[in-house]
Amino acid sequence: FTLGVAGFTVQPLWWHYKYAPSRHFLQQTAYPAVRDVALFYADFMDGCEPGTGGKVVLAPSVSPEHWGWTPNFQRNKNCAFDLAMVRYTLEAAIEGATTLGRDAKLVARWRHALKRLPAYPTTRGEKPIVVDVLGAPPITYNIAVPATPVFPGDVVTWRSPANQKALFARTIEGLRWNGNNSMVILAVARARLSLPGSLAWLHTEVKARLRPNATLTLNRLGARFNAFGHYTEQFGVTIAISELLLQSVGDVLRIFPAWPRDKDARFEGLRAQGGFLVSAQLNN
């Protein structure tokens, strides 16, 4: 029921292209899939109700694992995850088409769609925070939807405007979650914004889930809910570690972007966007 899942589904194909650039892969695999989802989003937006300032109301949709369908779609509008994945997909489609030198009319349509996307939903007041859907209060999240524009959405980055970075840093620092699903989302989002204590935060959360056989529970050990099995989300802990050392989101390489400066570190052969293999060392 979640609009953003379409873009989330083709994102790994685009990541593959970005981290291992191949014109053949772009032409035969990545671009056709991303193009089709971008077309779907543009068509969907053409059917949306108008908002303010030339924007649309991106609806209806369901926030990932929260609220469900509500009367009159009261809490089914402008979901932060949807907004991130629509933006990500449209921008990827524009880049793919431009690189391949095709679909100029579609590129113009996708650029127009980007201009019509509404702002992320927030609370009111002097220090607003992002919420999952328009008009909703902050809640204890299962999936940390307000953090998803940073990761996995990849559309709020270190190079974003200062006020946007401050908004998401404030949101992530104060976000409440139930211990399920969101460990990797929050760990990477914290690293992407270079929040203080990102390594310590990740260490604490991993240690609380680590079994003797080195698998990770979804929730903390001893929890009565989801304390069994091995959920595939937890395989993503590898990216949570590497993002402390090297980031390349938005085609910009950042070396030791969230690693504490009082801890020496070294890494070899981490892959970055553009197909680069990067090694680095940090001392003193």
Side-chain angles (χ1 to χ4, degrees):
F1 299 144
T2 300
L3 185 64
V5 168
F8 196 41
T9 302
V10 298
Q11 185 184 44
L13 297 175
W14 192 251
W15 272 346
H16 182 113
Y17 165 68
K18 295 296 286 184
Y19 282 84
S22 161
R23 188 177 182 89
H24 178 78
F25 181 82
L26 174 65
Q27 182 172 316
Q28 298 298 319
T29 304
Y31 176 66
V34 170
R35 175 200 61 209
D36 288 355
V37 177
L39 279 171
F40 163 67
Y41 283 148
D43 286 343
F44 187 93
M45 290 176 66
D46 284 345
C48 289
E49 295 179 359
T52 58
K55 310 295 185 179
V56 301
V57 178
L58 195 66
S61 182
V62 173
S63 172
E65 301 191 11
H66 303 106
W67 306 113
W69 294 118
T70 59
N72 301 315
F73 299 134
Q74 183 179 6
R75 289 183 178 163
N76 300 107
K77 302 173 182 177
N78 293 359
C79 174
F81 175 71
D82 296 344
L83 290 167
M85 295 318 303
V86 171
R87 180 171 297 281
Y88 182 90
T89 306
L90 292 172
E91 290 178 348
I94 291 168
E95 181 179 340
T98 303
T99 300
L100 294 172
R102 62 173 62 173
D103 296 335
K105 290 183 178 180
L106 291 180
V107 169
R109 187 182 181 199
W110 293 330
R111 292 190 191 280
H112 179 64
L114 282 172
K115 294 177 180 179
R116 300 173 70 202
L117 284 174
Y120 295 109
T122 65
T123 58
R124 298 181 179 181
E126 291 184 5
K127 293 186 177 181
I129 59 172
V130 180
V131 291
D132 62 336
V133 289
L134 185 66
I139 60 174
T140 299
Y141 297 97
N142 183 40
I143 295 176
V145 179
T148 56
V150 183
F151 181 80
D154 287 4
V155 292
V156 175
T157 73
W158 183 252
R159 300 185 73 196
S160 294
N163 60 341
Q164 189 177 67
K165 285 201 303 181
L167 169 64
F168 278 90
R170 188 165 59 243
T171 297
I172 292 165
E173 289 279 27
L175 187 142
R176 302 191 309 270
W177 65 300
N178 61 10
N180 290 310
N181 297 91
S182 294
M183 183 187 77
V184 173
I185 290 174
L186 290 172
V188 177
R190 292 179 65 89
R192 291 275 176 89
L193 296 177
S194 297
L195 296 185
S198 293
L199 172 61
W201 188 95
L202 175 61
H203 185 270
T204 298
E205 294 298 333
V206 168
K207 187 176 180 180
R209 292 166 174 79
L210 186 63
R211 293 193 185 95
N213 67 356
T215 58
L216 296 174
T217 57
L218 188 69
N219 211 329
R220 289 179 166 227
L221 292 169
R224 292 183 295 173
F225 183 63
N226 280 348
F228 48 84
H230 183 87
Y231 283 67
T232 54
E233 287 96 325
Q234 304 305 57
F235 286 118
V237 72
T238 53
I239 191 176
I241 296 169
S242 65
E243 288 279 317
L244 298 167
L245 306 171
L246 171 69
Q247 296 170 13
S248 58
V249 62
D251 295 329
V252 176
L253 275 68
R254 300 180 67 212
I255 312 298
F256 298 114
W259 191 263
R261 286 296 181 263
D262 61 346
K263 292 183 181 292
D264 293 350
R266 178 169 61 98
F267 65 85
E268 295 183 6
L270 289 183
R271 181 173 289 272
Q273 289 186 3
F276 296 102
L277 295 178
V278 184
S279 301
Q281 187 168 342
L282 173 69
N283 293 104
N284 298 318

